[in-house]
Amino acid sequence: VVGNEPNRGLPLGWISLAGITFAPSLFQSFLANMHAPWYVKRYWGQATFSLNKGVCNLAGVAYLYRRELLLPFSCMPRDKLYFEQSRVSAPYRTRVTAYPAPNGRLTATSNPHEWVSLAGITFTTSGEHGQNLQLYSVWAPKPGFAHPTFYVHEGVCEFEGTLYGEMAPRRFGTLPKECRVKHRLVFYLSKVDRGGRVEVRPNGGMYVIDTWQKRDNRQVSLAGLAFAVNDRKLAGPPGRPGRPGRDGVPGDPGAWGPDGQQGRKGPIGPPGPSGADG
């Protein structure tokens, strides 16, 4: 969103942070072939991956001009996915394709001497916890591509798949109740020939925002669409103990209890001393 700063007339840019995902460095491992000099850019993070409960997350930069970056077998997508990633030259965005097993790899439509960022590439490696996305109007899964699917696991809602709509409206799907957001989120995802803006709204609507209301061959890749949701199954860390409460008022005295039973007669004591003579 671009506007003007109040009272000054200066350009004011609003940047969406939705879709920025990364793993802590403690859980990252280098991808294969990272020892080759053409895969390492000085002063930049090397290409790494992390795998946590079936979700693979990539990070770092790599040189992908006419090259393929192999993925480890444990970190391959189930279907072919398209991501819209940053690169070093204009238009500063490029499409990165992730291929499934058994030949899992990354390729990009980059130019010579151009580096591509892998930050934000996130996908699931299994079909567990996955469900089909409810599509809207004439939108349908694109033949030959991953089916539109969403995953809710460990407090994160993640989407995959490619949609196709001929003369389709901007709204393409409806979020399930367990995957709703509190505020509108804006993402930049891959479309037919370039990236595009996709919005997720609190009412459950999912929209592709473009300059034309209707157009043939409208399609959207959902890869890279992920956000946190409230998960009641996840318990947060224990909170600090609260302050002690005030003392309560004294209670009423209890009623007298019944008399106890008479005890047994004790033994006879020794005789006392004799009295004085009169």
Side-chain angles (χ1 to χ4, degrees):
V1 180
V2 179
N4 292 327
E5 186 175 350
N7 303 326
R8 297 187 61 184
L10 299 178
L12 179 62
W14 298 89
I15 300 177
S16 174
L17 305 181
I20 298 180
T21 58
F22 54 88
S25 59
L26 180 63
F27 302 100
Q28 294 178 349
S29 302
F30 291 117
L31 289 172
N33 297 330
M34 286 310 301
H35 61 278
W38 55 79
Y39 279 128
V40 181
K41 183 173 177 60
R42 192 176 183 182
Y43 305 122
W44 291 75
Q46 297 186 27
T48 60
F49 76 96
S50 65
L51 183 63
N52 183 20
K53 297 181 179 180
V55 177
C56 185
N57 181 276
L58 305 183
V61 296
Y63 184 72
L64 296 180
Y65 176 66
R66 295 183 179 178
R67 298 187 185 277
E68 296 179 346
L69 185 58
L70 300 181
L71 295 174
F73 186 76
S74 60
C75 197
M76 296 182 182
R78 300 184 303 114
D79 298 286
K80 184 167 66 172
L81 303 176
Y82 292 114
F83 296 86
E84 200 70 18
Q85 298 298 120
S86 297
R87 64 183 186 185
V88 298
S89 60
Y92 305 107
R93 305 292 295 185
T94 189
R95 174 182 290 182
V96 173
T97 306
Y99 292 88
N103 299 317
R105 64 196 187 279
L106 296 179
T107 62
T109 55
S110 59
N111 298 324
H113 309 293
E114 191 166 55
W115 297 83
V116 178
S117 173
L118 307 181
I121 295 181
T122 302
F123 51 83
T124 59
T125 58
S126 66
E128 297 182 4
H129 312 286
Q131 302 179 51
N132 293 332
L133 177 64
Q134 180 182 352
L135 302 181
Y136 183 79
S137 185
V138 297
W139 286 95
K142 185 175 181 179
F145 291 78
H147 193 280
T149 310
F150 72 93
Y151 301 82
V152 182
H153 187 49
E154 299 293 335
V156 176
C157 187
E158 190 260 346
F159 293 80
E160 295 179 3
T162 303
L163 306 177
Y164 174 83
E166 184 175 353
M167 301 296 291
R170 289 181 174 178
R171 181 170 180 174
F172 62 84
T174 303
L175 290 173
K177 293 183 179 180
E178 64 271 23
C179 202
R180 296 290 174 92
V181 295
K182 294 183 179 180
H183 307 283
R184 183 174 63 174
L185 299 180
V186 179
F187 297 84
Y188 193 82
L189 304 179
S190 179
K191 295 199 298 184
V192 181
D193 52 356
R194 63 189 186 280
R197 176 175 167 179
V198 172
E199 290 189 3
V200 177
R201 300 178 182 178
N203 62 357
M206 305 178 71
Y207 299 83
V208 53
I209 307 300
D210 44 37
T211 57
W212 20 264
Q213 184 65 26
K214 292 184 178 181
R215 176 180 173 180
D216 292 339
N217 195 27
R218 172 180 279 178
Q219 68 182 40
V220 179
S221 173
L222 301 181
L225 181 61
F227 49 85
V229 294
N230 293 328
D231 191 349
R232 297 180 179 179
K233 298 179 181 179
L234 297 178
R240 293 181 297 179
R243 294 180 297 178
R246 295 180 299 177
D247 295 337
V249 296
D252 295 332
W256 289 97
D259 295 336
Q261 297 179 351
Q262 184 177 1
R264 294 179 300 174
K265 187 176 181 180
I268 300 175
S274 301
D277 294 337

